[in-house]
Amino acid sequence: MTHTQKRIIINNIVMALSTLSAVIGISFLIWILSVLVINGIDALSMTIFANEGAPPGNEDGGLKHALIGQLILVTYATLFGVPLGVLAGTYLSEYGQKAKLAETIRDVSDIMMSAPSIVIGAFVYAIVVAPTGHFSGWAGSIALTIIMLPIVLRTTDDMLQLVPSTLREAAFALGAPKYKVITQVVYRGAKAGILTGILLAVARVAGETAPLLFTSFNDNFLNTDMSQPMASLTVTMYNYATSPYEDWQKLGWAAAFILSMFILTLNIIGRLFLLKRKGK
Amino acid sequence: MATIVDITEEKALKVKDFEFMYAGADAPSVKKLNMPIAKHSITALIGPSGCGKTTLLRSFNRMHDLYPGNKYSGEILFKERNILNPKEDLIKLRIQIGMIFQKPTAFPMSIFDNVAYGLRLQGLKNKTELQGRVEKALQDAAIWNEVKDRLKHDANGLSGGQQQRLCIARAVAVEPEILLFDEPTSALDPISTAGIEELIVELRERVSIIIVTHNMQQAARVSDYTGFMYLGELVELGRTEEIFVTPKERLTEEYITGKFG
C-alpha cells in the first residue's frame, strides 16, 4: 500500500467515525424532542392555562399555579441577579482589572458556575428555610439568584473587556468622567453581548429543579405570596411525572413541553442578539 | 544636548526636564526632555518605533493616568501652569487638549450623538445650539456633505476615513486649544490620508497641533516644526524644511535619509 492510499483510508475512517458519532448524538436529541412534542401537544389544552392544580382523577386540573409561580420566582431572581451581576462584572472589567481581588472573584465565580445546583439549594435551605422555619418563594428566588449571579457576572466582565480600550480613551480624551465613559460608551459597545448573557442566565435558572425542591418547595394551588411555599413548573413536573396517576402524568408532559419551549425561545433570542452583533 | 530652533511664535506648551516612566519599567521612556511647542502651528514628532514620541504625546493630556503606576517628573507648562501637578483637573485639561487616535474611535451611537458627545458632557442641552455646533464641527472636519442626510445613522456604518473625520469633528466641536494626533492616518488608505492631512493643515488656523507620525513624508507635507526623537530623547527640533533639508544633528540626517529606523 502506498503512502497516499494509506492516508486516504485513514481519512475515510476518521470521517466515518465522526459522522456516525454526530448522527448518534443528534438522533437522541431528535428522539427526546419528538417524544416531548408528541406527548406535550397532546396534553395541551386551554384548561391547563386557566385552572389550578386539582386532586388526581379530577379532569379539569391545570398548571396555572405552576406557570405563575415559575414566572414570579424567575422574575425576582432576575431582578436581584441581573443588577448585581452586571455591576459586579463592571467592577471586574473597569475598576478591578488585574487586581488580586478581581482575579479572586473571577476564580470563585468560575467555580460557582460549575457547582451542582442542588448544593446551592441545600445552602439556601440552611440560611433561609431553616431559620424562618418554612419553605418560601423568597428562598426559591434567592437560590436562583445565586445560580444566575456568576453567569451574568462573567459574561458582563468578558463582554466589557471586548470593548477596545481606545474607545474608552477616546471618551476620556473628550473630558468624560469615568462613570460616564462606562455607562455611555462601554455599555453601549457591549450591549448585545451582555443582553445575551442575561437571557442565557434566565434560561438556565428557569430549568432548575433541585434548588427549588429545598427552598420554594411546591404548592398545588395558586399562591402569589412570596413568604409561602410556591409552585414552579419544574417541581410540579417532577411531582406529576413521578405520580402514579395518568392525568397528573399528562400534566407533567404539558409542563415539560411549555418549559422547554420557553427555554428554547430564550436561547434563540440570545443567539439572534449575538448574530446581530457579529454581523455589524 | 538637543538642538532646538528658536521659536518666534507664542508657545502653546513648554516641556521642561520632562521624564516619564511606565509602571513596572526600570528605565524612563522619555528622558529629561525640553521642548517648546509653537501656538497655531503644526509640530510633528518623528523617530523610530519605541523612541517615546507617542508616550510624550499621551503625556500632554495625561492619558497615562488611566493606567495605574505610571510616573511623571519635570514640567509641562500650558498657559503658565504645570499640567503634571497632581491637582490638575483632568476633565478640564482634556477638554482644552483634545486627541485623535491611530484607529478611528467612533462611539457605538449615531453620527449626531458622536459629535454632540463632548458638548453634552459640558452640559449643553439647548437643541438648536447643539444642532448648530454639531453642524459647524462636521463642516470644519469636511464631512458635513457626506453625512448631513444620515445624522441619525449608526456611526459605525461610515468608512474608516469618514470615521476618522467624524472623530476630528467630535474633537473640534468642544473647541480645544491644542489637538494631539497619534498617527491618525496609519489605518487609512492613501486617498483618506490625503483628506485628513488637508484637514489638519486647515485646522491650524484655530488650534495648535501636535502630530506623531511614522511617515516622514507626512511630517514634511503637513508640519511647520518637526521634532526628531531617539531613545527617549529629543535630538533636534527645527522648522520642518530645515530638518528635512539641512538637519543640524548627524543622527537626524541619518534617520531621515533612511540609514536607520
Side-chain angles (χ1 to χ4, degrees), chain A residues 117-132:
Chain A
S117 56
I118 195 159
V119 174
I120 289 159
F123 168 73
V124 175
Y125 180 89
I127 61 156
V128 181
V129 179
T132 55

Side-chain angles (χ1 to χ4, degrees), chain A residues 65 135 212-213 216-220 229-232 235-236 239-240:
Chain A
H65 62 299
F135 297 114
L212 295 180
L213 273 172
S216 56
F217 193 56
N218 200 11
D219 188 336
N220 207 18
M230 193 175 272
S232 56
V235 179
T236 302
N239 282 345
Y240 282 4

Side-chain angles (χ1 to χ4, degrees), chain A residues 44-189:
Chain A
L44 276 186
S45 68
M46 281 316 290
T47 50
I48 280 178
F49 298 97
N51 293 2
E52 297 174 29
N58 197 328
E59 277 302 307
D60 55 0
L63 291 168
K64 186 180 163 195
H65 62 299
L67 281 166
I68 292 176
Q70 177 89 20
L71 210 62
I72 296 175
L73 289 172
V74 173
T75 304
Y76 273 109
T78 310
L79 286 179
F80 301 141
V82 167
L84 262 176
V86 168
L87 283 174
T90 305
Y91 165 76
L92 293 185
S93 162
E94 305 300 311
Y95 293 94
Q97 290 163 3
K98 297 270 169 259
K100 240 195 172 128
L101 176 64
E103 290 294 0
T104 313
I105 295 174
R106 281 192 190 104
D107 289 342
V108 171
S109 31
D110 285 347
I111 295 166
M112 271 183 52
M113 252 196 274
S114 46
S117 56
I118 195 159
V119 174
I120 289 159
F123 168 73
V124 175
Y125 180 89
I127 61 156
V128 181
V129 179
T132 55
H134 58 86
F135 297 114
S136 67
W138 288 123
S141 281
I142 291 170
L144 295 184
T145 303
I146 295 174
I147 296 170
M148 193 175 213
L149 195 60
I151 309 175
V152 176
L153 179 148
R154 289 294 275 135
T155 346
T156 306
D157 179 24
D158 288 344
M159 291 300 147
L160 292 180
Q161 286 190 43
L162 283 182
V163 175
S165 58
T166 49
L167 216 54
R168 293 182 181 84
E169 289 184 358
F172 279 117
L174 286 165
K178 186 155 186 163
Y179 76 95
K180 284 195 174 169
V181 175
I182 296 170
T183 53
Q184 298 175 340
V185 177
V186 183
Y187 276 169
R188 271 171 198 265

Side-chain angles (χ1 to χ4, degrees), chain B residues 10-261:
Chain B
E10 233 184 299
K11 316 284 186 296
L13 286 174
K14 282 181 235 165
V15 184
K16 286 186 174 167
D17 291 329
F18 175 69
E19 283 210 344
F20 180 83
M21 192 135 92
Y22 279 108
D26 37 52
S29 298
V30 175
K31 298 168 202 156
K32 290 280 173 223
L33 192 133
N34 287 282
M35 182 179 192
I37 305 280
K39 217 171 187 173
H40 292 294
S41 57
I42 302 173
T43 304
L45 292 174
I46 61 168
S49 299
C51 71
K53 54 193 190 302
T54 296
T55 305
L56 177 65
L57 191 81
R58 288 165 64 89
S59 305
F60 295 147
N61 64 349
R62 300 265 306 263
M63 236 344 120
H64 297 298
D65 287 53
L66 297 182
Y67 308 97
N70 296 326
K71 282 196 209 84
Y72 305 93
S73 69
E75 290 184 339
I76 296 177
L77 295 174
F78 171 57
K79 298 183 163 193
E80 304 307 319
R81 68 169 198 273
N82 179 15
I83 59 165
L84 299 181
N85 188 328
K87 290 194 188 118
E88 176 71 29
D89 180 346
L90 295 185
I91 289 178
K92 271 194 193 143
L93 176 73
R94 288 172 186 155
I95 291 169
Q96 291 172 314
I97 305 184
M99 187 169 222
I100 308 295
F101 297 81
Q102 202 168 347
K103 282 201 187 121
T105 52
F107 297 149
M109 47 182 91
S110 73
I111 293 170
F112 184 92
D113 289 342
N114 258 281
V115 183
Y117 190 78
L119 298 168
R120 285 184 174 136
L121 279 178
Q122 290 177 37
L124 186 64
K125 286 202 181 82
N126 183 306
K127 245 189 160 175
T128 347
E129 201 186 340
L130 210 53
Q131 270 164 353
R133 298 268 301 262
V134 168
E135 176 175 343
K136 188 172 174 300
L138 287 167
Q139 273 168 348
D140 288 345
I143 191 181
W144 171 250
N145 284 330
E146 291 160 64
V147 299
K148 65 181 174 197
D149 300 322
R150 44 173 173 156
L151 292 175
K152 297 273 168 248
H153 289 211
D154 189 345
N156 283 305
L158 297 172
S159 74
Q162 288 173 326
Q163 284 191 28
Q164 196 62 305
R165 274 182 285 151
L166 180 73
C167 294
I168 295 175
R170 191 172 65 192
V172 297
V174 298
E175 296 176 347
E177 299 189 24
I178 301 176
L179 264 184
L180 310 170
F181 287 82
D182 184 8
E183 299 182 42
T185 60
S186 62
L188 302 181
D189 64 83
I191 292 170
S192 307
T193 299
I196 300 283
E197 285 181 4
E198 209 176 301
L199 183 56
I200 292 173
V201 174
E202 279 168 24
L203 286 173
R204 175 178 45 186
E205 304 294 319
R206 274 166 298 149
V207 287
S208 314
I209 289 169
I210 308 170
I211 174 170
V212 162
T213 177
H214 264 293
N215 178 334
M216 277 186 276
Q217 284 79 16
Q218 182 167 67
R221 280 194 298 265
V222 302
S223 67
D224 305 300
Y225 291 94
T226 297
F228 169 60
M229 287 180 70
Y230 185 61
L231 300 177
E233 293 180 58
L234 180 69
V235 175
E236 185 169 357
L237 173 73
R239 300 203 64 87
T240 297
E241 59 275 16
E242 284 169 12
I243 292 281
F244 284 98
V245 182
T246 52
K248 297 200 169 54
E249 297 279 335
R250 199 171 52 88
L251 213 54
T252 314
E253 190 181 344
E254 283 176 1
Y255 181 70
I256 60 165
T257 53
K259 290 209 175 95
F260 75 96

